[in-house]
Amino acid sequence: MPDLTDEEYDALDEYYTKNPPKLSGNGKSGFFAKHAEKGNTLIFVDSLSADWLRIKAEAANTTPEVIIRQLVNKELAAVSA
């Protein structure tokens, strides 16, 4: 896509300021809302960590969330000891 001129940027800015995009959903049915309802907190990890978690979870026939919880429990037990 070619670079826009200042006038084109201004025109786009004005257009989207006056006509904001409409979002789908009702504020309760989207991906993030569903996770928040369940009391889950989303975290973001780098690709190496994500790959490692997926591999460990597949090997244990479980989910990455379970692997993370096991790691946290292990660390908490070590701190408490």
Side-chain angles (χ1 to χ4, degrees), residues 34-48:
K34 286 180 183 177
H35 282 276
E37 284 177 3
K38 296 177 185 175
N40 295 340
T41 301
L42 296 175
I43 61 166
F44 297 91
V45 298
D46 59 76
S47 61
L48 176 65

Side-chain angles (χ1 to χ4, degrees), residues 1-64:
M1 179 177 186
D3 286 337
L4 300 174
T5 64
D6 287 341
E7 292 80 20
E8 291 169 323
Y9 278 116
D10 291 339
L12 281 175
D13 179 56
E14 183 176 341
Y15 174 80
Y16 284 111
T17 299
K18 291 179 180 177
N19 304 291
K22 293 192 177 15
L23 301 176
S24 62
N26 57 8
K28 297 180 182 176
S29 62
F31 176 80
F32 293 104
K34 286 180 183 177
H35 282 276
E37 284 177 3
K38 296 177 185 175
N40 295 340
T41 301
L42 296 175
I43 61 166
F44 297 91
V45 298
D46 59 76
S47 61
L48 176 65
S49 300
D51 290 342
W52 183 86
L53 283 167
R54 274 194 292 274
I55 291 167
K56 291 290 279 186
E58 287 175 12
N61 197 28
T62 188
T63 64

